[in-house]
Amino acid sequence: MCVFREAVGHDAPGGIIRVLTSETGAEWESAATVVEAGFDLRDPKLSVMPDGRLMLLMGGSVYDDCGEYLTRAPRVSFSEDGFKWTVPRRVLSEDHWLWRATWHDGRAYSLSKLGEGEEPRRGFLYSSADGIEWEWIVEFKLPGVSETTLGFQTDGEMVALVRPGYVGRSRPPYREWSFSEMPDRIGGPNFILLPDGSLWGSGRLFTDEGPRTVLARMTTSTYEPVLTLPSGGDTSYAGMVWHDDLLWMSYYSSHEGGTNVYLARVRV
């Protein structure tokens, strides 16, 4: 399954969420759309809950009649089969933005980026047993903290890949963190732990040729880009799945004119 936002533009109101499905990864068809009247739904992320249901985490923004941004709050929707989804439900308070949920030992973990524009952003780590009620854990006190993907080592250590350029690590109960600053600035960070124990990250890297979506070799303190995918312009925000001994990556890019969604299968 693959999920992304559809709208007339990146900053335009009225976005909806499209869910695609495929048996092989070669031929795709629409499985569902998730819509909420009066809200711009964006940055959708899929995760599998402990009971087997799918959880769709997304942002819900509000614009005035002139198209000017007013406020936002996270939204969550659930499905048993990927085709029928519950009505989007707001979680947390206004101005929060839960980025990506990662499940571990029966609980979801996600970092919310709070604040934007000229006000300093803040990052708050939350946990939830059901995706609806979220409990605060700790604040990430990092300059410019923004989009964050969380993951877990086999020993329970949590790893965080943070925009604009940090890798963090923490052990239970995940209140004490150590961070390493990366030499590169990235957007749309994501990473995956492979069966051999290696970490691989992705994100938008600004190169001499412009923005590109990259695959990077990671540790709990480093991020080393090693592969540039066909990409350019407004790009990145990859989903990452390990399947049939290949790394599957879905991402968007605008290097071929319009904005398209791409699927890459990488032999690591």
Side-chain angles (χ1 to χ4, degrees), residues 176-198:
E176 300 291 333
W177 283 79
S178 61
F179 291 97
S180 300
E181 187 170 2
M182 297 153 34
D184 299 311
R185 307 291 90 179
I186 61 169
N190 195 9
F191 71 93
I192 188 171
L193 174 68
L194 298 191
D196 65 1
S198 62

Side-chain angles (χ1 to χ4, degrees), residues 61-157:
S61 300
V62 181
Y63 296 80
D64 63 19
D65 294 337
C66 297
E68 294 295 322
Y69 169 81
L70 295 176
T71 187
R72 70 186 183 201
R75 295 292 194 276
V76 66
S77 182
F78 304 94
S79 175
E80 295 183 355
D81 58 7
F83 292 87
K84 296 180 180 179
W85 292 85
T86 61
V87 175
R89 177 171 177 172
R90 194 189 92 170
V91 297
L92 295 183
S93 59
E94 289 191 9
D95 204 34
H96 276 282
W97 196 308
L98 288 171
W99 183 244
R100 186 192 304 274
T102 302
W103 293 84
H104 178 71
D105 285 346
R107 296 192 67 85
Y109 294 83
S110 182
L111 192 91
S112 175
K113 55 175 186 173
L114 182 65
E116 60 179 350
E118 296 180 357
E119 296 298 324
R121 278 182 173 167
R122 303 176 71 184
F124 296 103
L125 180 62
Y126 284 91
S127 174
S128 174
D130 59 7
I132 298 173
E133 300 295 332
W134 293 82
E135 302 173 7
W136 180 87
I137 299 176
V138 72
E139 179 178 357
F140 280 17
K141 295 184 177 180
L142 296 170
V145 60
S146 184
E147 305 152 356
T148 298
T149 289
L150 306 169
F152 292 86
Q153 305 271 44
T154 55
D155 62 359
E157 182 180 52

